[in-house]
Amino acid sequence: MAIMDIFSDVQQFLSEPKKLFIGGEWVEPSSGEYFPVENPATGQNFAQVSMAVEADVDRAVAAARNAQEGAWAKVQPAERSRLMIRLAELIEADAENLGQIISLENGKPYTNAYKGEVVITANIIRYFAGWPSKIEGSTIPVSPRGGEPMLNYTLREPVGVCALIVPWNFPLSMCAWKLGPVLATGCTAVLKPAEQTPLVALRLAELIQKAGIPAGVVNVLTGFGDRAGAPLSAHDDVDKIAFTGSTGVGRMIAKAAAGNMKKVSLELGGKSPNIILPDADIVRAAKGSADGIFYNQGQVCTAASRLYVHESVLDQTLEELRKHAAAHLVGPGLDPANTMGPLVSREQHGIVKGYVDRALNEGAELICGGKAPAHLEGGYFMEPTVFLDRQEQACIAREEIFGPVVTVMSWSDVDELVHRANNTPFGLAAGVWTNNLKQAHTIAAKLKAGSVWINCWNVVDPASPFGGYKQSGWGREMGKNVIDAYTETKSVFVDLS
């Protein structure tokens, strides 16, 4: 197995315990505690990072507030754009190191980390760098009761200090999804990465510092949800919280935010229906469906985990899925030959394996996969897994698994199909594969999901809004829609009489 050598820059980065980034400085945690970061491909610890606690949250929020009301408030929109473009350039220049750090702590193949995260992260920051000079108010023709001449105009102002809590499945690009609009609108941030994947956020902080972004504009706290995330969510001097993660944690964050009525945006779980119509290009549809569930080891909120196949093309689709599952090479992400890495942790591997075992007990038919590859030891690996559950009776057809497990169901009636597809508490994404344009648009209009993909899957762009219906979240990220989430609108009246 040809494992890539660890780059010297990465070795140097990992050689010492990582501190917290607060107010533009690298500081020791108040707790004096550090915790290990595990390589999920080996199960071995390879780095130490700071354990942030409530006192560190207070320090970071204060630094963000000082920057918000001080140096950052004086930076003109054109200068914010320049700083963001500089950051994007630094991300690109450090792409190989960032990709390797992601692969080490998350497990995903290096190629996916490089192309699927680092390149995309730079593109997101560059997209939002175009926004600072375009955030504007308006003049409004009002009709005062007294008839006096009156000028009314609006201002768009930064919402203030933002708490950003990001997940482990895309540990760099999710930072950019939130930091992009923070920097564009003139807000400041306290960023808390997931405890499983803190290192790439700390590397990003080094680049933020190098880009010349003023001290305190972005602060990074590493640690656990109960000791850092909870006090950050409830902090009375935080004006907004943006969270990506599970629906259960999202509910807790929404409750914590009620104390000072801070703004909240949530991008949560999904159980996305993916529909293959009988007239679809089955080879193409099966390839897209396989990519939609096996990419990133299935650890994607929009994973195509519920596959509805018309009964007339069911056998052909299953055969194609078998081929794509068998074609994946599972192993450590730093082996360039591998196309699928381990799950992120022992805990996550146990969750996925538990779902597989339960599905078998509930009568689902295992088509392929369902276990760890026999030749791999020490890491948290799982083969690409396909189940057939024609009438979706098993738990795997209803609950989010967050692993490389797809449940295939058959259908014959379109109206019943749409009802089944929408019969879920989630509404993040959906897909339709067909050559019938009218049918595609008709079904897409009826699906209750924030993103609908026709003859494709997981197409996301910084210019297009992303978010979910129902229990998949509140609000939208990306595009012009997200600017509203990070700004306040002020109405100003001037008596001209």
Side-chain angles (χ1 to χ4, degrees), residues 389-423:
D389 183 19
R390 292 175 184 271
Q391 296 303 315
E392 54 197 295
Q393 299 299 311
C395 62
I396 54 170
R398 301 184 303 275
E399 300 176 22
E400 186 175 36
I401 301 171
F402 231 61
V405 181
V406 61
T407 307
V408 181
M409 286 84 65
S410 61
W411 65 274
S412 57
D413 178 78
V414 171
D415 292 334
E416 180 194 11
L417 164 70
V418 171
H419 172 75
R420 290 167 65 186
N422 287 332
N423 187 25

Side-chain angles (χ1 to χ4, degrees), residues 371-395:
K371 61 184 185 304
H375 67 285
L376 294 172
E377 297 181 359
Y380 310 126
F381 299 97
M382 174 65 71
E383 293 176 336
T385 301
V386 179
F387 276 100
L388 176 62
D389 183 19
R390 292 175 184 271
Q391 296 303 315
E392 54 197 295
Q393 299 299 311
C395 62

Side-chain angles (χ1 to χ4, degrees), residues 236-457:
D236 284 340
D237 205 27
V238 168
D239 302 299
K240 172 187 169 53
I241 183 164
F243 169 76
T244 296
S246 71
T247 298
V249 175
R251 290 193 187 98
M252 291 190 288
I253 286 174
K255 291 178 181 178
N260 68 337
M261 300 298 290
K262 58 175 63 69
K263 287 180 175 286
V264 179
S265 55
L266 303 171
E267 196 267 283
L268 306 176
K271 191 65 180 175
S272 301
N274 185 24
I275 297 165
I276 297 180
L277 273 64
D279 69 306
D281 179 336
I282 300 304
V283 173
R284 179 185 176 191
K287 173 65 165 63
S289 300
D291 291 344
I293 185 61
F294 299 143
Y295 178 71
N296 208 47
Q297 297 72 249
Q299 299 170 138
V300 184
C301 55
T302 55
S305 56
R306 287 194 293 153
L307 181 57
Y308 293 92
V309 182
H310 191 270
E311 58 188 14
S312 66
V313 292
L314 178 62
D315 290 342
Q316 182 184 358
T317 302
L318 289 173
E319 183 56 33
E320 290 294 324
L321 289 174
R322 282 193 195 94
K323 292 178 183 177
H324 291 298
H328 273 289
L329 296 177
V330 181
L334 291 182
D335 183 341
N338 293 329
T339 59
M340 183 180 290
L343 297 170
V344 74
S345 65
R346 181 186 301 275
E347 178 186 13
Q348 188 61 25
H349 185 273
I351 290 171
V352 176
K353 185 63 168 63
Y355 271 110
V356 169
D357 293 342
R358 185 175 162 193
L360 292 169
N361 291 332
E362 293 175 347
E365 179 184 347
L366 181 64
I367 302 300
C368 61
K371 61 184 185 304
H375 67 285
L376 294 172
E377 297 181 359
Y380 310 126
F381 299 97
M382 174 65 71
E383 293 176 336
T385 301
V386 179
F387 276 100
L388 176 62
D389 183 19
R390 292 175 184 271
Q391 296 303 315
E392 54 197 295
Q393 299 299 311
C395 62
I396 54 170
R398 301 184 303 275
E399 300 176 22
E400 186 175 36
I401 301 171
F402 231 61
V405 181
V406 61
T407 307
V408 181
M409 286 84 65
S410 61
W411 65 274
S412 57
D413 178 78
V414 171
D415 292 334
E416 180 194 11
L417 164 70
V418 171
H419 172 75
R420 290 167 65 186
N422 287 332
N423 187 25
T424 171
F426 301 110
L428 192 57
V432 182
W433 299 85
T434 179
N435 286 317
N436 185 324
L437 193 60
K438 179 180 178 181
Q439 188 89 302
H441 287 297
T442 299
I443 294 176
K446 295 178 180 179
L447 293 171
K448 296 177 181 179
S451 295
V452 178
W453 294 298
I454 297 174
N455 294 330
C456 57
W457 194 271

Side-chain angles (χ1 to χ4, degrees), residues 102-121:
I102 292 169
S103 187
L104 281 168
E105 64 179 349
N106 169 276
K108 69 179 64 180
Y110 171 79
T111 300
N112 292 351
Y114 183 100
K115 295 181 179 179
E117 285 227 55
V118 183
V119 172
I120 287 174
T121 295

Side-chain angles (χ1 to χ4, degrees), residues 20-279:
L20 305 174
F21 187 62
I22 299 176
E25 298 180 351
W26 295 96
V27 300
E28 298 283 350
S30 298
S31 65
E33 299 176 53
Y34 289 78
F35 66 94
V37 181
E38 184 182 48
N39 180 349
T42 64
Q44 301 299 311
N45 299 333
F46 70 98
Q48 295 282 327
V49 298
S50 296
M51 177 79 76
V53 295
E54 187 169 359
D56 302 307
V57 172
D58 290 340
R59 285 196 292 170
V61 171
R65 179 63 66 193
N66 289 337
Q68 175 71 46
E69 298 177 355
W72 191 230
K74 300 173 184 177
V75 175
Q76 296 296 311
E79 178 64 6
R80 290 208 305 273
S81 292
R82 188 195 68 78
L83 291 169
M84 293 178 71
I85 290 170
R86 175 60 177 151
L87 177 59
E89 291 170 346
L90 289 171
I91 291 169
E92 289 173 332
D94 200 45
E96 291 184 343
N97 295 322
L98 289 165
Q100 204 168 67
I101 292 168
I102 292 169
S103 187
L104 281 168
E105 64 179 349
N106 169 276
K108 69 179 64 180
Y110 171 79
T111 300
N112 292 351
Y114 183 100
K115 295 181 179 179
E117 285 227 55
V118 183
V119 172
I120 287 174
T121 295
N123 289 342
I124 292 169
I125 297 297
R126 188 170 281 110
Y127 166 80
F128 280 108
W131 268 105
S133 61
K134 301 171 184 65
I135 300 171
E136 55 191 25
S138 59
T139 57
I140 302 170
V142 293
S143 303
R145 288 188 297 272
E148 63 274 14
M150 195 75 68
L151 169 67
N152 177 231
Y153 63 91
T154 61
L155 301 172
R156 299 285 294 280
E157 299 177 343
V159 69
V161 176
C162 303
L164 313 178
I165 302 179
V166 300
W168 47 258
N169 58 335
F170 292 96
L172 181 62
S173 56
M174 289 295 102
C175 291
W177 279 40
K178 292 168 174 53
L179 284 175
V182 161
L183 297 173
T185 57
C187 294
T188 57
V190 179
L191 171 67
K192 187 212 165 290
E195 61 267 22
Q196 297 90 342
T197 54
L199 294 168
V200 75
L202 296 172
R203 184 72 172 191
L204 178 62
E206 293 183 350
L207 302 180
I208 288 169
Q209 191 175 35
K210 189 175 181 180
I213 293 171
V217 172
V218 179
N219 307 272
V220 181
L221 300 178
T222 54
F224 288 75
D226 58 342
R227 302 185 71 181
L232 181 59
S233 302
H235 203 287
D236 284 340
D237 205 27
V238 168
D239 302 299
K240 172 187 169 53
I241 183 164
F243 169 76
T244 296
S246 71
T247 298
V249 175
R251 290 193 187 98
M252 291 190 288
I253 286 174
K255 291 178 181 178
N260 68 337
M261 300 298 290
K262 58 175 63 69
K263 287 180 175 286
V264 179
S265 55
L266 303 171
E267 196 267 283
L268 306 176
K271 191 65 180 175
S272 301
N274 185 24
I275 297 165
I276 297 180
L277 273 64
D279 69 306

